[in-house]
Amino acid sequence: MSRTVYLNGQFILEEEAKVSIFDRALLFADALYEVTSVIDGKMIDFENHMKRLDRSMEELHYPRKLDHKEIKSFHHELIKRNNLSEGIVYLQVSRGVAERDFAFPSEKTEFTVTAFTQEKKLVENDAVINGIKVMSIEDLRWKRCDVKTVQLLYPSFAKAQALKEGYDDAWLVRNNYVTEGTSNNAWIVRKGTIITRQTDNLILKGITREAVKECAKELNYKLDYKNFSVQEAQAADEAFITSATTFVTPVVKINDKKIGDGKPGKFTQLLRKRYIEKAKENTI
Ligand code: PDD
């Protein structure tokens, strides 16, 4: 069945949604996005996604911001019209349509705002039950990974490479340290302490990462923010990833090495349970 999508203020069928070939998203990947998860027909952490969108727009000198209330309202409308119970709302904002030119267009150029829903099993799925296998691959992305742009060719390439080699995803490695997954943050657990990389321009500061930090504190886990290498990750007791589409998902193998006993870790499972409980209490 055809979905209803959102395009610049209108709700239309997906076949009818048309964007100009001069859109800067197409020509320069000049667009920002957010992915908000939906469970039981309600959104998780919507406001924090909007704050990050504002920041991304500021960092790339978008001349205006969007109204969060309006965005919330069309997200709710899309969820309703598409009868979405579990999945995501994808939101994209491009700098708009202009003659092809490397220079930014006039500040008066209207943004192109698009959004759509996607069904996805977030709470129960095979990845949660069995854990995922990741392959390490050099991080060749640009150095502004803190900005959530649609310039995703390299992460897509890395994921395709991992799948081709029989893995589920890739962990990206820069200067011998794991930065993050192709579309998620990377974590390890060692002797009761959970470790994830410090945030800077080389990773995206995940909204799920921040929520998981709070859950970890509640569970009295020790937290450490620091770089770790692939070898350290392989020697860890547990490993996992976090994102809006995976929540907390165990990693059971990194390259040719099983993590712990090769099964989803205990800390990881408890953290996932707490994350989902807490997320459900705060959905809108
Ligand atoms: N990706 N790091 C990268 C590179 C990401 O693309 C994402 C999210 C994350 C986790 O961020 P959050 O917890 O806010 O989802 C970290 C989304 C899900 C995507 O591109 O589909």
Side-chain angles (χ1 to χ4, degrees):
M1 212 185 69
S2 175
R3 265 171 304 190
T4 295
V5 301
Y6 175 90
L7 170 61
N8 295 333
Q10 290 191 306
F11 295 97
I12 40 184
L13 290 178
E14 59 182 80
E15 302 80 20
E16 283 156 23
K18 303 274 186 289
V19 177
S20 164
I21 64 162
F22 296 105
D23 197 281
R24 291 198 41 109
L26 269 179
L27 300 177
F28 294 101
D30 186 356
L32 302 158
Y33 77 107
E34 282 297 329
V35 173
T36 305
S37 35
V38 172
I39 44 177
D40 302 330
K42 290 183 174 170
M43 295 187 287
I44 298 176
D45 254 333
F46 173 80
E47 281 307 332
N48 287 329
H49 283 285
M50 291 309 103
K51 282 186 200 151
R52 187 171 64 189
L53 177 67
D54 283 352
R55 178 183 180 276
S56 293
M57 292 174 81
E58 268 168 33
E59 292 299 311
L60 291 193
H61 302 166
Y62 276 48
R64 297 173 298 287
K65 299 242 176 64
L66 297 176
D67 179 30
H68 294 182
K69 267 203 202 134
E70 221 171 276
I71 304 180
K72 195 200 288 181
S73 142
F74 71 69
H75 273 53
H76 277 146
E77 192 61 27
L78 281 179
I79 292 168
K80 198 167 114 199
R81 290 192 188 214
N82 294 297
N83 208 7
L84 181 71
S85 170
E86 193 167 316
I88 60 139
V89 182
Y90 175 92
L91 166 69
Q92 181 173 310
V93 185
S94 99
R95 204 183 302 265
V97 177
E99 194 58 31
R100 183 176 185 273
D101 189 338
F102 281 76
F104 291 161
S106 152
E107 298 205 338
K108 292 193 196 115
T109 308
E110 296 283 347
F111 299 148
T112 305
V113 182
T114 50
F116 57 83
T117 55
Q118 244 176 16
E119 286 183 16
K120 196 170 164 60
K121 282 181 119 195
L122 301 176
V123 179
E124 281 167 29
N125 55 51
D126 291 347
V128 175
I129 297 164
N130 305 321
I132 61 161
K133 301 183 281 267
V134 301
M135 180 184 116
S136 62
I137 185 164
E138 192 182 354
D139 190 345
L140 293 176
R141 299 173 302 167
W142 77 331
K143 291 186 180 164
R144 287 308 308 271
C145 303
D146 56 314
V147 182
K148 201 162 171 62
T149 76
V150 301
Q151 192 188 285
L152 295 170
L153 183 55
Y154 188 72
S156 168
F157 175 87
K159 173 117 184 178
Q161 192 67 28
L163 293 178
K164 201 167 134 196
E165 302 205 14
Y167 294 87
D168 302 297
D169 201 357
W171 273 11
L172 305 172
V173 178
R174 204 189 276 265
N175 298 330
N176 203 38
Y177 291 115
V178 174
T179 49
E180 57 185 339
T182 55
S183 60
N184 44 65
N185 291 117
W187 304 66
I188 58 173
V189 183
R190 198 172 49 201
K191 294 191 184 126
T193 299
I194 66 172
I195 303 166
T196 195
R197 193 184 179 288
Q198 69 284 357
T199 48
D200 57 15
N201 58 314
L202 298 181
I203 68 165
L204 185 76
K205 189 173 178 187
I207 303 300
T208 322
R209 177 188 190 272
E210 296 307 298
V212 162
K213 271 165 53 179
E214 292 310 311
C215 298
K217 280 184 203 155
E218 285 175 22
L219 293 168
N220 288 323
Y221 291 179
K222 277 182 252 145
L223 271 165
D224 208 351
Y225 309 110
K226 62 176 187 194
N227 276 313
F228 57 85
S229 64
V230 170
Q231 293 72 25
E232 282 171 291
Q234 287 177 318
D237 303 323
E238 300 181 20
F240 62 93
I241 55 167
T242 58
S243 75
T245 49
T246 59
F247 297 165
V248 176
T249 292
V251 171
V252 293
K253 196 174 176 198
I254 303 173
N255 295 338
D256 57 353
K257 177 93 177 45
K258 275 189 201 164
I259 306 306
D261 60 3
K263 300 211 176 78
K266 295 249 164 359
F267 275 97
T268 306
Q269 284 170 315
L270 277 174
L271 209 50
R272 178 179 174 87
K273 189 165 166 274
R274 183 66 197 125
Y275 171 79
I276 294 174
E277 277 168 10
K278 212 168 154 161
K280 280 189 173 170
E281 284 162 17
N282 294 303
T283 48
I284 57 161

